[in-house]
Structure formats: C-alpha cells, structure tokens
Amino acid sequence: MRLTRPMLAAAAAAAVTALTGCGADGDGAAAVPETATGSLEHLAAEVKCDPNMQTDADTIRQALCEKGDEKYVLATFATDRGQREWINTAKDYGGHYLVGRKWVAVGHEDVVAGLRGRLGGTLEEGARHDGGAHPAGHGGHGG
C-alpha cells in the first residue's frame, strides 16, 4: 500500500485528535536512557505494549498502545524525511511527541514523558490552540 501525503496528514491528524488533551504536567527530570532503535514491535516490547496495528505500509507503521489510562500512538518510518514530514504535519494539530530515530510516540504530555524514561528520545510539542488556558472540565477537547 502506497501512502500519499494527504493520507499521512489525515493519519497524523486522527492520531493527534484521538490522543491529545489536557495532560498532567510531567516533571521529565528522570534520567533519560540512550534513544531506543528498532522495529515497531521491538519498541512496543520495550514499553510493554501489545500494539494494535492501525497502519502497516512500506513508509509508515502505526499502532495504538493502551495500558490502563495510558493511550498513545507508536509509529515507525522507513526514512528520516518521511518521519519529519509526518511530525511537522501532525504538530499543526497540537499534541506531545516523543521522537527517536525513525520513530515517534504521540500522546498526553505525562504519557510521553513517562515513555521517555524507557525509550529515550526528544520531547516535542505541537501548536497550542487554546491560548494556553484549559477550559473548565476539558469541554473544548474533541475525541
């Protein structure tokens, strides 16, 4: 299956919309290990996730991981450029990203901060659309 840029943008938007929201502030002060590498299955095993595959294509493999209240998307990419294009598009929709070499985890801030303690990587944040304030009861969030 060949994915086009609009298909990747739609997948990124869906992942961010489904998983972002008002997360608790993670302190991120814990020691960060060397950034993990490997297949989606290898990365999922590192964080004890049984991946629910959403996209399995030549350019991107994407799975949903859930454990208790934690929910996040884990994606791997065939190329660095494909990864950066996906992240840049997804960041327009907001969200929190843990970025490694040819992989990304997307979820609430506290979830990706916790994953960083197991996978290493760099934290990135998407565009904020709420002006920095959280609406009462999180009523402004979809999904």
Side-chain angles (χ1 to χ4, degrees):
M1 174 181 176
R2 177 152 167 80
L3 292 179
T4 64
R5 187 167 292 182
M7 290 171 65
L8 289 174
V16 172
T17 300
L19 298 176
T20 59
C22 301
D25 288 332
D27 63 6
V32 177
E34 184 174 327
T35 302
T37 60
S39 68
L40 188 139
E41 291 80 6
H42 175 78
L43 296 168
E46 290 286 324
V47 294
K48 297 177 177 47
C49 159
D50 182 18
N52 178 1
M53 292 300 293
Q54 304 294 305
T55 305
D56 192 357
D58 292 339
T59 56
I60 182 174
R61 299 185 73 225
Q62 183 173 300
L64 180 62
C65 290
E66 289 185 80
K67 187 182 346 176
D69 289 338
E70 286 187 359
K71 186 185 290 189
Y72 55 95
V73 169
L74 187 59
T76 57
F77 302 86
T79 66
D80 293 321
R81 180 178 175 177
Q83 175 191 20
R84 183 47 52 192
E85 288 176 355
W86 186 95
I87 292 169
N88 290 345
T89 300
K91 287 171 92 174
D92 288 343
Y93 298 93
H96 299 276
Y97 303 82
L98 178 61
V99 180
R101 175 84 198 281
K102 295 186 183 176
W103 63 264
V104 64
V106 185
H108 289 286
E109 182 178 16
D110 56 338
V111 173
V112 295
L115 291 172
R116 187 175 189 220
R118 293 176 267 172
L119 294 176
T122 304
L123 294 171
E124 296 186 24
E125 187 173 351
R128 293 186 66 130
H129 298 288
D130 62 1
H134 290 205
H138 298 128
H141 294 287

